[in-house]
Amino acid sequence: MALSKKPVNGMKDILPAEMEIRDYVTSVIKDTYRSFGFTPIETPCMENIANLTSKQGGENEKLIFKVMKRGEKLNLETAKEESDVVDFGMRYDLTVPLSRYYSNNANNLPSPFKALQMGSVWRADRPQRGRYRQFTQCDIDILGEPSNLAEIELITATTTTIGRLGFENFEIRINERRILKAMAAYSGFAEADYDSVFITLDKMDKIGVEGVASELAQDGYPQENIDKYLDLFKLLEQTRDVTEGVKILSEKLGEYLDEEVVTNMTEIATAVNATKGAKFELVFDPTLVRGMSYYTGTIFEISMPELGAACGGGGRYDKMIGKFTGNDVPACGFSIGFERIILLLMESGFKIPESPKKVAYLVEKKYPADKLVDVMNQAKDARANGQQVLVVRMNKNKKFQKEQLMKEGYEEFVEFFNR
């Protein structure tokens, strides 16, 4: 039987044209984040399965690619449950690995520590436009900074990066987990039901207010609580400004909402709006939930009008590192949806700015070896002057060969004949 030439479902081969853009975007991201003081790190692609199934990753824990034990450790005959045959898993994000990394290396790292991490992650998800089972994540995190300086730096650095990639008029949607909880408490929901209520609320942009009301009713919650809850969102329908939105909620919720939360959100909005270097809007979104259960405070997402979906997000997760060490460490992070950014750039016909001139040297097939040395030296000199030079044998169908090379960005051709 012939071997399959197609990649595994949900994964893809990356062709040269896309790879050039990916390399360019990667360089812009790294250069920009380094200018904000973030330090590149790397963690392994696999983690101990216990770390990945610690109920920190929300729904993503259902999507883990699990790795079977090997050699003598694997005994299928005596295995009774999954833990008997599985010990590792492919990482589904970069946050859990970073927390383990920091816990293991904190004594050798500065405080606060500003980490930059780019790498592949794996999720057994249903493939769709802009979503794959293997994809690149790009995270920046600040560990050890308890104040909202972390959120301000993360939002500013990320929006600056996206702006440098040519994107404009995008939104950063922001909310606070403590605001979500205060709204639920004010409406009469029990604390044990918060996660269930938030899962339904997270569907607001897809099913609307009536859909959320219907689903909450189906889940058995009292209509009085549902009405009181959804009235809060109706109260904020015309409010996008962060400062105004949290002020309205503060007045309505009273003692349910800690004044510290109001101050925190107002300070973040004021600082970000006063110093932003890209064209975007910071928007208060009380329906923003974020799926990861490890978030403890501020949460945010990048919304691109061209995509009609989020292409990045993050928030504060002050309790995760304590799961490894027993001592909580303030932590906050922001992740760019790298694959979706690439998708948008590819679909828009993006051209890399100030890329080197691409020249193809077409060498006749019977060109003698002694003269080929001169061609190689000429190519060497051109490369030293900043050109990208491809030396290839001339095809019989030279016109078609040039057309294919032009698709790859080659704009000049030099032909060498044995004459």
Side-chain angles (χ1 to χ4, degrees):
M1 187 176 70
L3 298 177
S4 175
K5 64 182 182 181
K6 292 185 177 181
V8 173
N9 186 32
M11 302 182 186
K12 68 171 187 173
D13 296 325
I14 301 175
L15 298 179
E18 179 178 341
M19 201 65 221
E20 279 197 21
I21 292 178
R22 293 173 77 94
D23 284 345
Y24 170 75
V25 171
T26 297
S27 68
V28 171
I29 289 172
K30 287 185 174 181
D31 289 346
T32 306
Y33 283 155
R34 281 193 180 103
S35 74
F36 278 81
F38 289 91
T39 302
I41 67 164
E42 187 170 327
T43 58
C45 63
M46 287 189 286
E47 291 284 339
N48 288 310
I49 194 66
N51 291 354
L52 298 176
T53 55
S54 59
K55 304 191 184 302
Q56 295 292 300
E59 291 296 303
N60 288 326
E61 293 191 6
K62 299 177 182 178
L63 306 176
I64 299 171
F65 281 104
K66 296 172 181 177
V67 181
M68 292 183 70
K69 295 179 179 179
R70 297 142 304 281
E72 295 179 356
K73 290 184 177 180
L74 179 62
N75 192 331
L76 295 176
E77 290 76 17
T78 61
K80 295 181 179 179
E81 52 190 44
E82 186 178 86
S83 60
D84 294 328
V85 295
V86 171
D87 55 358
F88 300 154
M90 307 297 289
R91 63 190 183 193
Y92 55 74
D93 76 355
L94 297 178
T95 306
V96 173
L98 171 65
S99 298
R100 181 203 53 75
Y101 172 97
Y102 182 82
S103 301
N104 190 44
N105 298 287
N107 291 339
N108 299 316
L109 299 172
S111 184
F113 178 52
K114 301 176 74 172
L116 161 60
Q117 188 176 190
M118 295 188 69
S120 291
V121 299
W122 293 263
R123 295 179 190 173
D125 210 344
R126 180 179 297 175
Q128 54 185 284
R129 179 174 177 264
R131 178 176 289 179
Y132 309 98
R133 289 177 170 174
Q134 176 182 336
F135 56 97
T136 298
Q137 275 197 340
C138 172
D139 287 16
I140 49 172
D141 295 80
I142 301 179
L143 310 178
E145 175 54 70
S147 78
N148 56 25
L149 176 61
E151 283 90 339
I152 294 166
E153 277 275 274
L154 291 168
I155 295 172
T156 303
T158 301
T159 53
T160 299
T161 301
I162 294 173
R164 288 183 180 176
L165 292 171
F167 291 98
E168 297 182 347
N169 304 318
F170 56 94
E171 295 178 352
I172 301 295
R173 299 158 58 211
I174 188 170
N175 198 12
E176 235 272 12
R177 293 287 291 192
R178 289 176 291 179
I179 288 178
L180 287 168
K181 292 178 180 179
M183 293 173 74
Y186 168 84
S187 304
F189 293 105
E191 187 172 353
D193 294 327
Y194 287 175
D195 285 345
S196 174
V197 172
F198 297 160
I199 288 172
T200 302
L201 174 64
D202 201 29
K203 303 174 187 177
M204 179 81 83
D205 59 337
K206 297 181 178 67
I207 63 177
V209 173
E210 291 183 2
V212 170
S214 175
E215 193 163 313
L216 289 174
Q218 289 174 14
D219 290 338
Y221 296 113
Q223 192 61 45
E224 180 183 355
N225 294 3
I226 297 171
D227 292 340
K228 194 173 182 181
Y229 189 51
L230 295 181
D231 282 346
L232 292 173
F233 297 100
K234 293 174 183 176
L235 182 67
L236 297 164
E237 278 181 343
Q238 305 302 317
T239 305
R240 290 167 59 87
D241 182 77
V242 178
T243 300
E244 182 183 350
V246 294
K247 181 181 178 183
I248 291 172
L249 274 182
S250 176
E251 293 172 352
K252 186 70 175 178
L253 300 180
E255 62 181 13
Y256 288 97
L257 183 61
D258 194 325
E259 187 62 33
E260 177 193 343
V261 178
V262 178
T263 301
N264 183 57
M265 291 282 282
T266 302
E267 289 179 352
I268 292 171
T270 301
V272 169
N273 286 324
T275 59
K276 63 183 181 181
K279 295 180 180 178
F280 72 94
E281 185 179 2
L282 187 67
V283 176
F284 178 52
D285 183 357
T287 70
L288 180 63
V289 175
R290 300 286 299 163
M292 301 299 196
S293 60
Y294 52 64
Y295 290 122
T296 58
T298 320
I299 48 177
F300 26 76
E301 278 189 353
I302 308 167
S303 179
M304 291 277 190
E306 304 99 315
L307 193 64
C311 64
R316 182 166 284 278
Y317 54 101
D318 288 347
K319 301 294 183 180
M320 184 183 287
I321 293 171
K323 302 286 185 182
F324 292 91
T325 65
N327 297 311
D328 290 335
V329 174
C332 197
F334 208 147
S335 177
I336 289 179
F338 184 86
E339 302 295 346
R340 290 184 171 181
I341 292 290
I342 297 298
L343 175 67
L344 290 175
L345 292 176
M346 293 288 291
E347 290 183 345
S348 67
F350 177 77
K351 300 295 182 184
I352 297 173
E354 299 180 5
S355 57
K357 184 178 181 180
K358 299 178 75 170
V359 182
Y361 287 8
L362 307 182
V363 184
E364 190 180 33
K365 288 187 176 179
K366 295 183 179 180
Y367 206 75
D370 58 334
K371 295 176 69 174
L372 186 61
V373 172
D374 295 332
V375 176
M376 302 305 292
N377 278 325
Q378 185 175 331
K380 182 181 73 173
D381 292 340
R383 291 172 184 134
N385 289 325
Q387 293 184 0
Q388 181 176 326
V389 180
L390 173 70
V391 181
V392 293
R393 290 292 185 182
M394 189 183 297
N395 290 348
K396 186 175 182 179
N397 189 342
K398 187 170 59 175
K399 180 182 178 183
F400 179 74
Q401 183 181 21
K402 287 183 177 180
E403 288 174 352
Q404 294 302 109
L405 288 170
M406 287 173 67
K407 290 179 180 178
E408 295 179 27
Y410 287 92
E411 50 193 297
E412 183 179 323
F413 302 93
V414 182
E415 300 174 1
F416 296 88
F417 297 94
N418 185 28
R419 293 171 183 166

